[in-house]
Amino acid sequence: MQRTIDAEDLKEMINDLIINKVEQLQHPAFQQRLAQLRSVSDELLAFKQINKDFIQLFNDTFKEFCSS
């Protein structure tokens, strides 16, 4: 059985879905989790930079050692 939906009903359904998603995104628990994920992301980026700096330092030291 096929159901027909007119344009107004479809528009209303889409608006309800959007409103529901916006409310979910604004929920304090979601915002708290998002802040935690941002914090972890910042820490991972910092660790990645430290790793990159260490590798560069190691390479420079190794090249200097080999050339002397």
Side-chain angles (χ1 to χ4, degrees):
M1 182 176 185
Q2 210 173 7
R3 183 176 168 209
T4 307
I5 301 174
D6 69 359
E8 278 304 309
D9 287 344
L10 184 59
K11 183 179 173 184
E12 188 175 324
M13 288 169 57
I14 292 171
N15 281 338
D16 289 345
L17 285 172
I18 292 170
I19 289 168
N20 187 305
K21 279 296 168 194
V22 168
E23 287 172 351
Q24 286 177 4
L25 294 175
Q26 292 174 341
H27 191 277
F30 179 81
Q31 290 297 319
Q32 182 180 12
R33 184 67 182 136
L34 189 58
Q36 290 171 341
L37 291 174
R38 284 187 182 129
S39 176
V40 169
S41 177
D42 290 345
E43 289 178 26
L44 288 173
L45 288 173
F47 180 75
K48 183 179 176 183
Q49 186 60 48
I50 291 169
N51 244 4
K52 190 176 175 182
D53 293 345
F54 174 78
I55 291 169
Q56 186 62 50
L57 178 63
F58 178 84
N59 286 338
D60 292 346
T61 305
F62 186 74
K63 286 177 189 173
E64 187 179 317
F65 175 78
C66 289
S67 66
S68 56

